[in-house]
Amino acid sequence: MREADFELIDRFLQGDGTAFDELVRKRQREVYNLAYRMTRNAEDARDISQEAFLQVYRKLRGFDRRSRLSTWLYRIVVNLCLNHLNRSSRSPHFLGDQQPELADPSEGSLGRLEEKERQDALARAIETLPPQQRASLTLRVHHHLAHREIAEILGVSEATAKVHYFHAVKALRRKLANLREGA
Amino acid sequence: MAERIDAEMRCEEAETRLLELMEEELPPGRRAEALSHLRACTACATEFSAYRDLLGLVRADSVPEPSPRFWDEFLPSLKHRIEQEIARGKQEPAAGLAGLRSWFALPRPLIAGLALAAVSILIVIRLPGFLPIGFDRQVVQPSAERVAGRGGASGDLAVAPNADDGRRASGEPLVVAGEVVEDPSILAAAIQRLPWVDEIAERVEAAWVLRPGADPEEWIASLSEEERQILLDRLRGFRWSQS
């Protein structure tokens, strides 16, 4: 994968514009998915995805290849998402209409919630996470990155990246446990 | 009491390891200890199971699939934004625009030749307000033959006036690194050997590729005043030996 990516970059730098098309097509879904999971908003995810590839286009020549292309790309996406979340000073899209805490004991235990309800509850819980924790969780669980790579993306130490991830999981556990206990 | 405290401590310690255990990040010895504790402690085993279920739930958290049209339009829309950015002149100097060429389905050798010519023409023809070619215009009185170079274009080059550039006198020959320019491509070559200005040349080239029939002023519309001035200054101080 790494070699294939570098080959695409070489082709692009040699003037083969179809290489950039290939790169976009190859990576667009994972970029969009990452942006969506960070913002929880389709429109924001689309804008961020486009902006990310625009930055790739601008900066690809300066990519030093010390990391994988995907790591570099994710870093761009995550930074855009963090900036977006900081700018909007609200965590995700539908938080304005929702209570960040999940606990509605009348809904019953986690085990008895319908699938959609559980996923909605989880989504809301994720949206209450600080952005860096959310990024760590997403990159780890959905993009299967090592903590070392996540650290590189977030610009923190590996230990800090792990802490973000563990805090995220524990926070979700607490929030979902509220439901269970309230049953 | 002491036994209970010890037991709690063990559980606390195990709890801190649960996620690392799940992540398979524990060294073998500690992993064995943690597993041993889970076999003996129902509470911690339940907690471990809850974490595992939770991560399963997180993994199942899917992203709503956008419509097929969304993906059909994604790349064209991106390209449009890139073109718009070039046109607006907001692109960063580090832009890698080489890849833009083949979007226009032109053979690379042709593109390269045309681009070189475009940059050369851009610099040597009359561009009021732009690229006042003032580099190294020392007192050099070349022969008519040398100034004429290969043909008409070079002849234009030598006499091209630029009303906006006070440093350049009408009819004065152009000199790069002490040599009278006989071929416009020399100017482009000089520009391309300037590390920072190379990016500017590339942007101008890309703009020309996008709008080959446009006025040359449009080709360099993406350059800011500062960039034009930097280009001018760098060319003025250019020496071939530096490249």
mmCIF file of all heavy atoms in Angstrom, chain A residues 10 16-17 20 27-28 65 78 82-83 85 94-95 100-101 104 134 148 162:
data_model
loop_
_atom_site.group_PDB
_atom_site.id
_atom_site.type_symbol
_atom_site.label_atom_id
_atom_site.label_comp_id
_atom_site.label_asym_id
_atom_site.label_seq_id
_atom_site.Cartn_x
_atom_site.Cartn_y
_atom_site.Cartn_z
ATOM 1 N N ASP A 10 4.723 9.862 -7.134
ATOM 2 C CA ASP A 10 5.752 10.050 -8.168
ATOM 3 C C ASP A 10 5.106 10.406 -9.506
ATOM 4 O O ASP A 10 5.559 11.309 -10.201
ATOM 5 C CB ASP A 10 6.596 8.780 -8.322
ATOM 6 C CG ASP A 10 7.548 8.579 -7.154
ATOM 7 O OD1 ASP A 10 7.861 9.586 -6.483
ATOM 8 O OD2 ASP A 10 7.963 7.438 -6.907
ATOM 9 N N ASP A 16 1.649 13.542 -14.207
ATOM 10 C CA ASP A 16 0.507 12.709 -14.558
ATOM 11 C C ASP A 16 -0.671 13.068 -13.648
ATOM 12 O O ASP A 16 -0.759 12.594 -12.515
ATOM 13 C CB ASP A 16 0.883 11.234 -14.390
ATOM 14 C CG ASP A 16 -0.268 10.310 -14.763
ATOM 15 O OD1 ASP A 16 -1.363 10.813 -15.091
ATOM 16 O OD2 ASP A 16 -0.074 9.077 -14.730
ATOM 17 N N GLY A 17 -1.544 13.912 -14.177
ATOM 18 C CA GLY A 17 -2.670 14.383 -13.373
ATOM 19 C C GLY A 17 -3.665 13.293 -13.041
ATOM 20 O O GLY A 17 -4.421 13.406 -12.082
ATOM 21 N N PHE A 20 -3.445 12.022 -9.452
ATOM 22 C CA PHE A 20 -4.175 12.710 -8.382
ATOM 23 C C PHE A 20 -5.624 12.239 -8.353
ATOM 24 O O PHE A 20 -6.201 12.045 -7.281
ATOM 25 C CB PHE A 20 -4.115 14.225 -8.586
ATOM 26 C CG PHE A 20 -4.730 14.999 -7.458
ATOM 27 C CD1 PHE A 20 -4.089 15.093 -6.241
ATOM 28 C CD2 PHE A 20 -5.962 15.624 -7.606
ATOM 29 C CE1 PHE A 20 -4.657 15.792 -5.191
ATOM 30 C CE2 PHE A 20 -6.533 16.326 -6.563
ATOM 31 C CZ PHE A 20 -5.879 16.411 -5.350
ATOM 32 N N ARG A 27 -8.908 7.320 -1.812
ATOM 33 C CA ARG A 27 -8.947 7.732 -0.410
ATOM 34 C C ARG A 27 -10.196 8.507 -0.005
ATOM 35 O O ARG A 27 -10.357 8.826 1.168
ATOM 36 C CB ARG A 27 -7.727 8.627 -0.108
ATOM 37 C CG ARG A 27 -6.383 7.958 -0.331
ATOM 38 C CD ARG A 27 -6.100 6.981 0.772
ATOM 39 N NE ARG A 27 -4.785 6.366 0.644
ATOM 40 C CZ ARG A 27 -4.321 5.439 1.470
ATOM 41 N NH1 ARG A 27 -5.062 5.043 2.478
ATOM 42 N NH2 ARG A 27 -3.136 4.903 1.286
ATOM 43 N N GLN A 28 -11.047 8.828 -0.951
ATOM 44 C CA GLN A 28 -12.127 9.762 -0.649
ATOM 45 C C GLN A 28 -13.095 9.226 0.416
ATOM 46 O O GLN A 28 -13.566 9.971 1.272
ATOM 47 C CB GLN A 28 -12.889 10.153 -1.914
ATOM 48 C CG GLN A 28 -13.565 9.012 -2.659
ATOM 49 C CD GLN A 28 -14.120 9.460 -4.009
ATOM 50 O OE1 GLN A 28 -13.854 10.553 -4.475
ATOM 51 N NE2 GLN A 28 -14.917 8.597 -4.639
ATOM 52 N N ARG A 65 7.576 11.816 2.933
ATOM 53 C CA ARG A 65 7.486 10.348 2.870
ATOM 54 C C ARG A 65 8.076 9.657 4.100
ATOM 55 O O ARG A 65 8.408 8.475 4.045
ATOM 56 C CB ARG A 65 8.147 9.798 1.602
ATOM 57 C CG ARG A 65 7.639 10.461 0.345
ATOM 58 C CD ARG A 65 8.137 9.778 -0.897
ATOM 59 N NE ARG A 65 7.783 10.596 -2.065
ATOM 60 C CZ ARG A 65 7.738 10.147 -3.292
ATOM 61 N NH1 ARG A 65 7.989 8.893 -3.534
ATOM 62 N NH2 ARG A 65 7.418 10.948 -4.291
ATOM 63 N N VAL A 78 -7.797 15.487 10.276
ATOM 64 C CA VAL A 78 -8.061 15.688 11.706
ATOM 65 C C VAL A 78 -7.835 17.153 12.090
ATOM 66 O O VAL A 78 -8.631 17.729 12.845
ATOM 67 C CB VAL A 78 -7.180 14.743 12.552
ATOM 68 C CG1 VAL A 78 -7.219 15.146 14.018
ATOM 69 C CG2 VAL A 78 -7.655 13.305 12.411
ATOM 70 N N LEU A 82 -10.569 19.437 13.788
ATOM 71 C CA LEU A 82 -10.374 20.095 15.084
ATOM 72 C C LEU A 82 -10.593 21.599 14.952
ATOM 73 O O LEU A 82 -11.238 22.225 15.811
ATOM 74 C CB LEU A 82 -8.970 19.802 15.620
ATOM 75 C CG LEU A 82 -8.670 18.333 15.977
ATOM 76 C CD1 LEU A 82 -7.231 18.175 16.451
ATOM 77 C CD2 LEU A 82 -9.629 17.809 17.034
ATOM 78 N N ASN A 83 -10.065 22.170 13.878
ATOM 79 C CA ASN A 83 -10.285 23.608 13.657
ATOM 80 C C ASN A 83 -11.767 23.912 13.489
ATOM 81 O O ASN A 83 -12.275 24.896 14.018
ATOM 82 C CB ASN A 83 -9.522 24.074 12.414
ATOM 83 C CG ASN A 83 -8.029 24.111 12.650
ATOM 84 O OD1 ASN A 83 -7.579 24.142 13.792
ATOM 85 N ND2 ASN A 83 -7.259 24.081 11.580
ATOM 86 N N LEU A 85 -14.318 22.182 14.615
ATOM 87 C CA LEU A 85 -15.036 22.029 15.883
ATOM 88 C C LEU A 85 -14.739 23.181 16.831
ATOM 89 O O LEU A 85 -15.623 23.657 17.543
ATOM 90 C CB LEU A 85 -14.670 20.691 16.531
ATOM 91 C CG LEU A 85 -15.159 19.448 15.781
ATOM 92 C CD1 LEU A 85 -14.617 18.180 16.422
ATOM 93 C CD2 LEU A 85 -16.676 19.404 15.730
ATOM 94 N N PHE A 94 -25.907 17.668 15.827
ATOM 95 C CA PHE A 94 -27.224 17.635 16.434
ATOM 96 C C PHE A 94 -27.189 17.760 17.946
ATOM 97 O O PHE A 94 -28.183 17.549 18.611
ATOM 98 C CB PHE A 94 -28.040 16.408 15.989
ATOM 99 C CG PHE A 94 -27.495 15.080 16.404
ATOM 100 C CD1 PHE A 94 -27.816 14.532 17.620
ATOM 101 C CD2 PHE A 94 -26.690 14.360 15.539
ATOM 102 C CE1 PHE A 94 -27.358 13.291 17.972
ATOM 103 C CE2 PHE A 94 -26.233 13.112 15.897
ATOM 104 C CZ PHE A 94 -26.564 12.575 17.109
ATOM 105 N N LEU A 95 -26.068 18.177 18.458
ATOM 106 C CA LEU A 95 -26.025 18.373 19.897
ATOM 107 C C LEU A 95 -26.948 19.498 20.343
ATOM 108 O O LEU A 95 -27.438 19.500 21.450
ATOM 109 C CB LEU A 95 -24.610 18.697 20.347
ATOM 110 C CG LEU A 95 -23.805 17.483 20.806
ATOM 111 C CD1 LEU A 95 -22.485 17.926 21.375
ATOM 112 C CD2 LEU A 95 -24.570 16.664 21.816
ATOM 113 N N PRO A 100 -26.558 16.171 25.904
ATOM 114 C CA PRO A 100 -25.327 15.409 25.767
ATOM 115 C C PRO A 100 -25.296 14.167 26.638
ATOM 116 O O PRO A 100 -24.710 13.183 26.286
ATOM 117 C CB PRO A 100 -24.238 16.405 26.192
ATOM 118 C CG PRO A 100 -24.940 17.465 26.950
ATOM 119 C CD PRO A 100 -26.321 17.510 26.425
ATOM 120 N N GLU A 101 -25.934 14.230 27.762
ATOM 121 C CA GLU A 101 -25.968 13.033 28.603
ATOM 122 C C GLU A 101 -27.045 12.096 28.097
ATOM 123 O O GLU A 101 -28.115 12.515 27.673
ATOM 124 C CB GLU A 101 -26.245 13.408 30.058
ATOM 125 C CG GLU A 101 -25.091 14.144 30.719
ATOM 126 C CD GLU A 101 -23.833 13.311 30.753
ATOM 127 O OE1 GLU A 101 -23.936 12.072 30.870
ATOM 128 O OE2 GLU A 101 -22.738 13.894 30.644
ATOM 129 N N ASP A 104 -31.469 8.343 30.279
ATOM 130 C CA ASP A 104 -32.914 8.385 30.437
ATOM 131 C C ASP A 104 -33.284 7.001 30.932
ATOM 132 O O ASP A 104 -33.533 6.092 30.143
ATOM 133 C CB ASP A 104 -33.607 8.693 29.110
ATOM 134 C CG ASP A 104 -35.117 8.701 29.295
ATOM 135 O OD1 ASP A 104 -35.580 8.469 30.434
ATOM 136 O OD2 ASP A 104 -35.825 8.916 28.305
ATOM 137 N N ARG A 134 -12.110 11.959 20.650
ATOM 138 C CA ARG A 134 -12.934 11.429 19.566
ATOM 139 C C ARG A 134 -12.048 10.998 18.396
ATOM 140 O O ARG A 134 -12.260 9.956 17.780
ATOM 141 C CB ARG A 134 -13.935 12.504 19.103
ATOM 142 C CG ARG A 134 -15.111 11.933 18.368
ATOM 143 C CD ARG A 134 -16.037 13.027 17.884
ATOM 144 N NE ARG A 134 -16.266 14.049 18.918
ATOM 145 C CZ ARG A 134 -16.783 15.231 18.673
ATOM 146 N NH1 ARG A 134 -17.126 15.557 17.438
ATOM 147 N NH2 ARG A 134 -16.971 16.104 19.639
ATOM 148 N N ARG A 148 1.047 4.820 17.926
ATOM 149 C CA ARG A 148 2.182 5.623 17.448
ATOM 150 C C ARG A 148 1.758 6.508 16.262
ATOM 151 O O ARG A 148 2.115 7.678 16.177
ATOM 152 C CB ARG A 148 3.321 4.683 17.027
ATOM 153 C CG ARG A 148 4.524 5.365 16.427
ATOM 154 C CD ARG A 148 5.539 4.341 15.952
ATOM 155 N NE ARG A 148 4.958 3.276 15.143
ATOM 156 C CZ ARG A 148 4.586 3.447 13.872
ATOM 157 N NH1 ARG A 148 4.743 4.599 13.282
ATOM 158 N NH2 ARG A 148 4.057 2.444 13.204
ATOM 159 N N LYS A 162 -2.435 7.352 23.699
ATOM 160 C CA LYS A 162 -3.068 6.229 24.405
ATOM 161 C C LYS A 162 -4.017 6.734 25.478
ATOM 162 O O LYS A 162 -5.123 6.212 25.661
ATOM 163 C CB LYS A 162 -1.990 5.355 25.064
ATOM 164 C CG LYS A 162 -1.377 4.333 24.150
ATOM 165 C CD LYS A 162 -0.454 3.435 24.964
ATOM 166 C CE LYS A 162 0.394 2.585 24.043
ATOM 167 N NZ LYS A 162 1.361 1.759 24.779
#
